[in-house]
Amino acid sequence: SQTIHQWPATLVQPVGSPLSLECTVEGTSNPNLYWYRQAAGRGLQLLFYSVGIGQISSEVPQNLSASRPQDRQFILSSKKLLLSDSGFYLCAWNRQVNYGYTFGSGTRLTVV
Amino acid sequence: AQTVTQSQPEMSVQEAETVTLSCTYDTSESNYYLFWYKQPPSRQMILVIRQEAYKQQNATENRFSVNFQKAAKSFSLKISDSQLGDTAMYFCALGLNRDDKIIFGKGTRLHILP
């Protein structure tokens, strides 16, 4: 069966520090991978998606970047965090849209 | 552009009652899928129910059912015999067959009261 792992679960970082959030999928190959941000307990904003190794599409210009160094690994990064980067970050995967997404358990990021 | 609108930011119902969450969407595509996701206090996103746009029959999963009105672009979720564990944020979502991205509404926070 397929599983998705996301870590860390909680992170408190100072302004200006770097960020690296990791997401890995097991039990499938060539998944589509997604990073979402959820601010203030409300809607989900798509940040990045990837359909293959090294292929990254950005939905929203911002202080963040994403990389996919391996088929089932998706990394969200920042060189210098801003206060506005605080939020709940969710990784998700699918093979085709008809079955929706499977989400990771999320990372709560607080920038102080 | 595709949009998903949930007009009820927050709702409260008594345990064992039936509740309906509203959702409307807009797309010019003919081939798409609709979803309801549940996000409990743990914040884990859970797929509740899915509907293929080409199917007229409304999807049902135990106590959860949808009312899919394609012409009206409406996709409401009905929860029967509501339970305390149904307390969560519920997101309506639209997925297009031409790409694999899913667009989410802003959510409805549902409180089930004892």
Side-chain angles (χ1 to χ4, degrees), chain B residues 38-103:
Chain B
K38 170 184 177 180
Q39 188 181 42
S42 67
R43 304 196 79 170
Q44 175 71 55
M45 292 284 285
I46 303 164
L47 179 63
V48 175
I49 201 165
R50 57 187 283 271
Q51 174 81 41
E52 294 97 334
Y54 60 86
K55 286 189 177 180
Q56 291 186 337
Q57 185 174 4
N58 289 323
T60 299
E61 289 287 343
N62 300 314
R63 298 182 296 107
F64 298 86
S65 61
V66 298
N67 183 5
F68 175 44
Q69 301 290 325
K70 190 171 184 178
K73 295 183 179 176
S74 170
F75 184 62
S76 60
L77 174 70
K78 185 173 81 172
I79 306 174
S80 303
D81 185 26
S82 57
Q83 301 174 357
L84 297 178
D86 296 332
T87 291
M89 181 78 89
Y90 287 82
F91 292 97
C92 180
L94 166 68
L96 303 180
N97 209 44
R98 61 171 169 79
D99 65 34
D100 292 313
K101 290 183 286 184
I102 296 177
I103 301 154

Side-chain angles (χ1 to χ4, degrees), chain A residues 93-106:
Chain A
W93 80 273
N94 69 3
R95 293 295 301 278
Q96 293 176 308
V97 73
N98 52 326
Y99 291 106
Y101 290 152
T102 300
F103 283 89
S105 53

Side-chain angles (χ1 to χ4, degrees), chain A residues 12-16 83 86 110-112:
Chain A
V12 180
Q13 292 284 95
V15 170
L83 288 174
S86 293
T110 304
V111 183
V112 297

Side-chain angles (χ1 to χ4, degrees), chain B residues 6-22:
Chain B
Q6 294 179 250
S7 59
Q8 305 150 311
E10 198 158 359
M11 299 179 70
S12 296
V13 296
Q14 294 293 134
E15 191 177 8
E17 289 185 349
T18 295
V19 59
T20 299
L21 281 60
S22 301

